[in-house]
Amino acid sequence: MLKKLILTTMLVGVCCVVSAQVTIKGRVLNSETGEPVVGANIRVDHSLQGGTTNAKGEFIIKGLPDGKQTLQVSHLNYEPQRYSTSKSVNDVVIRMTESHNNLNQVVVTGTGTHRRMVDSPIPVNVLTAKDIKEANVTNLEEALTKLTSNFSFSTSGMGTEMVLNGLNSDYILVLVNGRKLIGDDALMRINMANVKRIEILNGSASALYGSDAIGGVINIITDDSKNKIDASSTTKVSDHGRFSEAVNLDLNVGKLSSYTSYQRQQSDGWKLHPMTETVNKKGEVKLDPTDKQAFTGYHSNTVNQSFSYSLNHKTTLYAQGSYYNFLNDRPVTEYKYNMYHENYTYGFGMKYIVNKKAYIDADFYSDNYKSAYDYIQESGDFKIGDKETRKKQYFYRGNVKSIIRVNSKNKLSAGLEYLDEKLESESDNISNKTLYTMALYAQDEWTIAESLQAVVGLRYIYNETFEDHFTPTASIMYREGGFRGRLSFATGFRTPTLSEIYATDLAKTTNRYTIGNLELKPEESKNFSLNLEYTHSRFSVSATAFVNNVTDMINYRTLSDEEAAQYGDYDEVRQRDNIDKVRIKGVNVNANAYLGLGFNLGAGYTLLDARNLITDKPIDKSVKYAGNVNAQWSKNWGLYGLNINMVGRGQGKRYSETYDYDSSGFMLWDLNTGHTFNLKYFILNAGLGVENLFDWVDDRPWNTKKPYSTITPGRAFYASLTIRFRK
């Protein structure tokens, strides 16, 4: 009897398993031409299963449970489609209609959940893989400056500083697939050949993302293919020894997926002028020969590896890791050391769909960064080849998040987050300092009416040093036809970094001593924005006005002679303190239009008033106005496609608070051509173009107190080649 019971149970289990195996196989085609749509994304509702179409437009999704299954099919160049079935199908044909804008793009950064751009109450700007490829950009800095108007960058001997709407890198959160990047050169670690899209959220987002999101969020979404094999190699060469190579290999075997990428970047350094300018105490200007470089040579390597394993259609486990190193190559005659950076990350987690109304995501992630001075001359106690640790940063994050569809009108997101940070620095005299933060957050996406939606969120933070804090946010969107109006309010909260609290250092080139401050307070912000948008099948226009007020802003305060006497004989002693209050007012305008016959035109403009209310001067490194233009023509002839793209970037003067100096404005133009050959499973794309077409150069003599407006070396020709295999 027992044997029969066991046998019956096994048979029932086998039957259940067999009945649960639903397979959907088919093709995705262009509705007008009948040609295959390559790279279309297939998502299954209420499931973690999905796929990507290959070079023939084919896809296959296995292992779905019995019952009705709905596929969501999306592609950047097409209107989204849906397909439903209640049984296995082997010959599905899904036809997609071409779209001339990307407003149907799915985004996650604004609300933390997947939504179409047009349906998000929080406006999010998106740069797609198509935008990146057509502009032929090599790194994230190029993408943000050439394709948007509200970013600017300035380069010094310590690296590159990013500014978004007047606030620098300290106030901008950079994420890869929702995971925070740390380090002075975090942008260098992004492999642009593996980017699916870049989502940009302007303004405070602390309620959802915590500290460091006062100025905005950049979330890089990688392209993890669902094809059996997806391999690519992208090579680009340009003047001044600039070279980049990116190799990607995605494999999907049964339930296991592997994603591997490697990137090499290198460049020679260059001068913009052979002379350096010095001014003596009498105000007399003297010019001397110099080897100082506006841009220093370097090489870097980045390796990323991630694995994903689907236990079933509801549960996925994943793990990832990366390694990065960087070393610049500066002339020995002018510099005592090179900068060396090293970074590694690791993490793991799981996604689980409880039912059609509930979803859970849990993960652990660690980012570890080291920066050092690599001496090329003897200096003090350091010999040639010695390394002095500038800083070691360790960042650990544990997060559990759930998304629940409460009813037809409310979607609730809630989570618990734990952060732990650690800092060591030989040069800044920091032995081992730590700081932890715990946070609870909740957000409701509320459909008030068919034309009215809102998002309301709250984050509670407990910091080891700065204790309790709340950061609420609220956004509302009204929609009528192609018109959308969005009104948002968000608060920001940034805790002082361990370096700002504890760092004590002596400047390398001057007799200036800097001390930390154990009495620092958190910086807080209040951000208001109004967005108006109109979309049409052939054009879209959007305008956002915003005000961001930041109080208790941390800056350097020079100590009086009496205060400084206790620290020794220095020309200047300064301390970090909450001495500034800033107000940033601005307008961002963006427009895109399809003109017909393959012509597209896009433009963006930012007007900014970023002012320090204490000094009544502009904020350091802020730019009053900037704009970008993108004109494109594309045409396909069977297996061959041609794309011609003109990109223009212009900006006004950039203010330097350190030297009370305005660098000049500039306008740069790039001409890019792309030649694509579709050869069954292979896709070849050759790029030829000219950067800085009209040869604009800031060729003033080197002057440490008058920073260059841009470090472009002048007109440069480039060639690139991408080879991709999909099956």
Side-chain angles (χ1 to χ4, degrees), residues 157-182:
M158 298 306 294
T160 299
E161 182 75 74
M162 173 174 59
V163 176
L164 169 60
N165 292 334
L167 293 175
N168 65 31
S169 305
D170 293 337
Y171 304 90
I172 305 167
L173 187 61
V174 181
L175 309 171
V176 174
N177 298 320
R179 301 180 183 93
K180 177 181 176 180
L181 296 184
I182 65 169

Side-chain angles (χ1 to χ4, degrees), residues 317-424:
L317 307 178
Y318 54 89
Q320 69 88 32
S322 70
Y323 176 78
Y324 161 83
N325 61 31
F326 169 97
L327 179 65
N328 61 13
D329 182 18
R330 309 200 287 190
V332 178
T333 54
E334 294 287 354
Y335 300 93
K336 294 182 178 180
Y337 56 84
N338 284 319
M339 298 301 302
Y340 173 75
H341 304 308
E342 189 175 43
N343 176 274
Y344 67 92
T345 70
Y346 60 90
F348 50 86
M350 66 168 292
K351 296 180 180 179
Y352 175 63
I353 294 181
V354 181
N355 52 43
K356 292 184 178 181
K357 295 185 177 181
Y359 167 96
I360 295 176
D361 191 349
D363 70 352
F364 171 82
Y365 172 73
S366 178
D367 195 338
N368 307 271
Y369 174 77
K370 175 184 177 181
S371 176
Y373 302 110
D374 185 5
Y375 284 89
I376 54 179
Q377 287 191 46
E378 292 190 4
S379 179
D381 296 332
F382 295 99
K383 307 298 182 182
I384 297 175
D386 287 349
K387 284 186 172 64
E388 179 187 12
T389 301
R390 177 170 164 256
K391 69 168 75 170
K392 288 183 179 179
Q393 288 178 269
Y394 305 89
F395 174 80
Y396 308 95
R397 173 184 181 261
N399 181 65
V400 178
K401 177 181 178 180
S402 64
I403 300 173
I404 303 172
R405 173 72 69 176
V406 180
N407 51 49
S408 61
K409 294 187 175 182
N410 298 88
K411 182 191 292 184
L412 179 66
S413 302
L416 170 65
E417 183 180 69
Y418 176 81
L419 305 175
D420 197 355
E421 300 173 74
K422 178 181 176 182
L423 177 66
E424 299 176 10

Side-chain angles (χ1 to χ4, degrees), residues 45-306:
D45 281 358
H46 314 301
S47 172
L48 296 175
Q49 298 286 83
T52 307
T53 56
N54 62 18
K56 293 183 176 181
E58 300 168 337
F59 70 92
I60 181 170
I61 301 172
K62 300 179 179 179
L64 297 175
D66 193 23
K68 183 179 179 180
Q69 301 295 334
T70 300
L71 306 185
Q72 295 191 40
V73 187
S74 62
H75 191 285
L76 284 176
N77 302 329
Y78 294 86
E79 296 290 339
Q81 296 290 331
R82 294 172 67 88
Y83 173 83
S84 297
T85 182
S86 298
K87 59 182 180 179
S88 293
V89 187
N90 292 320
D91 55 356
V92 176
V93 176
I94 300 174
R95 301 185 184 276
M96 303 187 75
T97 303
E98 287 192 73
S99 171
H100 301 295
N101 59 52
N102 69 344
L103 295 174
N104 285 308
Q105 173 70 56
V106 174
V107 295
V108 298
T109 306
T111 61
T113 61
H114 289 85
R115 299 185 70 126
R116 300 283 177 190
M117 283 179 60
V118 291
D119 295 328
S120 175
I122 301 173
V124 177
N125 186 23
V126 175
L127 307 180
T128 67
K130 181 173 178 286
D131 299 328
I132 293 167
K133 183 183 74 172
E134 290 170 352
N136 215 297
V137 299
T138 306
N139 54 58
L140 186 59
E141 178 184 337
E142 287 185 10
L144 296 177
T145 51
K146 291 181 179 181
L147 301 175
T148 70
S149 61
N150 41 7
F151 284 90
S152 63
F153 290 80
S154 60
T155 301
S156 67
M158 298 306 294
T160 299
E161 182 75 74
M162 173 174 59
V163 176
L164 169 60
N165 292 334
L167 293 175
N168 65 31
S169 305
D170 293 337
Y171 304 90
I172 305 167
L173 187 61
V174 181
L175 309 171
V176 174
N177 298 320
R179 301 180 183 93
K180 177 181 176 180
L181 296 184
I182 65 169
D184 300 327
D185 55 351
L187 303 189
M188 289 286 294
R189 293 156 51 189
I190 307 302
N191 181 352
M192 297 303 295
N194 194 37
V195 171
K196 183 176 183 179
R197 64 182 184 273
I198 302 169
E199 301 180 7
I200 303 165
L201 190 156
N202 295 310
S204 298
S206 292
L208 194 59
Y209 295 103
S211 190
D212 300 340
I214 285 180
V217 178
I218 304 169
N219 193 5
I220 297 101
I221 309 298
T222 58
D223 187 10
D224 298 331
S225 172
K226 297 298 183 182
N227 291 311
K228 289 183 179 180
I229 302 176
D230 198 326
S232 67
S233 170
T234 301
T235 307
K236 182 179 179 181
V237 294
S238 184
D239 295 345
H240 299 283
R242 285 177 285 183
F243 168 83
S244 67
E245 173 67 31
V247 179
N248 298 294
L249 176 62
D250 297 347
L251 301 173
N252 291 274
V253 182
K255 296 183 177 182
L256 179 66
S257 300
S258 171
Y259 308 103
T260 308
S261 70
Y262 168 75
Q263 177 177 246
R264 167 78 176 191
Q265 297 185 81
Q266 63 187 52
S267 174
D268 296 338
W270 60 77
K271 297 185 291 185
L272 297 180
H273 197 282
M275 310 295 283
T276 183
E277 179 183 276
T278 57
V279 182
N280 62 23
K281 294 182 179 179
K282 295 181 180 180
E284 298 170 334
V285 178
K286 182 182 178 182
L287 293 178
D288 295 307
T290 184
D291 286 330
K292 285 188 175 294
Q293 297 178 324
F295 183 85
T296 56
Y298 76 94
H299 62 268
S300 70
N301 300 279
T302 308
V303 180
N304 291 280
Q305 176 65 56
S306 63

Side-chain angles (χ1 to χ4, degrees), residues 566-607:
Q566 60 179 306
Y567 298 104
D569 186 19
Y570 299 104
D571 294 339
E572 179 186 1
V573 178
R574 61 181 189 171
Q575 181 183 46
R576 300 170 185 84
D577 210 343
N578 300 94
I579 60 174
D580 284 343
K581 178 181 179 181
V582 306
R583 183 199 63 211
I584 303 169
K585 298 187 296 184
V587 177
N588 294 326
V589 180
N590 291 281
N592 292 277
Y594 175 67
L595 306 179
L597 301 177
F599 288 94
N600 285 276
L601 182 64
Y605 181 76
T606 296
L607 179 63

Side-chain angles (χ1 to χ4, degrees), residues 425-555:
S425 174
E426 183 180 349
S427 61
D428 289 351
N429 300 303
I430 301 175
S431 57
N432 188 349
K433 298 296 182 181
T434 61
L435 187 67
Y436 75 81
T437 303
M438 294 187 66
L440 295 169
Y441 56 94
Q443 176 183 269
D444 183 29
E445 299 173 57
W446 180 22
T447 303
I448 303 171
E450 185 177 351
S451 59
L452 196 63
Q453 297 184 47
V455 174
V456 180
L458 177 67
R459 189 182 192 91
Y460 164 73
I461 299 171
Y462 178 80
N463 184 274
E464 179 182 6
T465 301
F466 304 103
E467 299 183 345
D468 303 280
H469 202 89
F470 290 90
T471 55
T473 183
S475 300
I476 190 167
M477 178 181 75
Y478 175 75
R479 179 175 60 186
E480 187 67 41
F483 171 80
R484 286 163 184 81
R486 300 176 175 96
L487 182 64
S488 299
F489 166 74
T491 57
F493 171 76
R494 177 181 177 270
T495 57
T497 65
L498 288 167
S499 179
E500 290 170 333
I501 298 171
Y502 296 108
T504 301
D505 69 273
L506 178 63
K508 294 285 185 182
T509 57
T510 62
N511 191 33
R512 185 184 66 200
Y513 192 57
T514 302
I515 61 175
N517 187 351
L518 298 175
E519 304 300 322
L520 286 175
K521 299 182 293 184
E523 298 169 296
E524 299 185 33
S525 74
K526 291 182 175 60
N527 184 284
F528 300 86
S529 69
L530 173 64
N531 169 264
L532 300 176
E533 179 182 75
Y534 183 77
T535 62
H536 184 269
S537 60
R538 285 180 173 263
F539 70 89
S540 66
V541 60
S542 173
T544 303
F546 61 90
V547 178
N548 198 1
N549 296 289
V550 186
T551 57
D552 292 322
M553 202 169 191
I554 297 172
N555 206 336

